[in-house]
Amino acid sequence: MPDYYRAFMRVFKDAKTGQVVLRFHKTDIVKVSQSGEVTLNTGGYLTATTQMAMNDALGFIEYKVRSYHHDAYSGSGSAWEVQGPGGSQRYADNMTLPAGPSPQAAKARADKVLKELTQMLARFSQGNLPADTHTT
């Protein structure tokens, strides 16, 4: 599937909370706090593009959202799970992923997601990122 969905992504640091936020369309789908906790929210849009956008951010911190179905692009109604270093768990909107293995790693999460996503989206907007490419 092409990476056109990235045109609807924006990453920024919230001035009030200090959280790094990945906004997809009008929904804040990934929030990384300064303590390293990650909150996920589809806003009710359990779609392939929302899943791919989430995975763009989560890939930098060793997490991935996967569909239970054989067809990852099944769209609305599919059941998801979040896989990470500690195993997997069923996805639910507003779920929080733990801060990380160490305080240093946890604190670095927000900055890493902001830096890596900013670079990825800059390459995308310049046309320098091939479809379905995820860099780490």
Side-chain angles (χ1 to χ4, degrees):
M1 179 174 269
D3 58 354
Y4 70 90
Y5 67 93
R6 290 185 177 136
F8 303 99
M9 291 170 53
R10 181 173 163 238
V11 63
F12 59 94
K13 189 169 192 175
D14 185 299
K16 291 181 183 177
T17 65
Q19 293 177 321
V20 171
V21 177
L22 172 59
R23 183 168 290 161
F24 185 55
H25 293 282
K26 294 181 181 181
T27 304
D28 296 342
I29 61 171
V30 177
K31 293 180 184 178
V32 185
S33 72
Q34 289 302 301
S35 66
E37 290 183 331
V38 179
T39 303
L40 304 175
N41 179 32
T42 67
Y45 298 100
L46 284 155
T47 65
T49 53
T50 300
Q51 182 181 11
M52 289 186 292
M54 278 184 172
N55 282 332
D56 279 347
L58 295 175
F60 297 117
I61 56 172
E62 300 179 28
Y63 280 93
K64 184 169 183 118
V65 176
R66 294 187 185 249
S67 174
Y68 274 79
H69 300 291
H70 295 292
D71 177 10
Y73 306 107
S74 59
S76 182
S78 65
W80 292 0
E81 69 180 3
V82 178
Q83 295 178 329
S88 64
Q89 57 186 309
R90 188 176 175 105
Y91 175 85
D93 272 345
N94 298 309
M95 71 185 301
T96 301
L97 305 176
S102 71
Q104 296 83 7
K107 282 187 171 188
R109 269 187 174 179
D111 292 335
K112 182 174 186 172
V113 169
L114 178 63
K115 176 185 169 198
E116 298 291 345
L117 271 179
T118 299
Q119 290 175 355
M120 178 197 310
L121 294 175
R123 287 191 306 272
F124 169 76
S125 68
Q126 296 166 1
N128 295 331
L129 187 65
D132 298 326
T133 298
H134 187 292
T135 57
T136 56

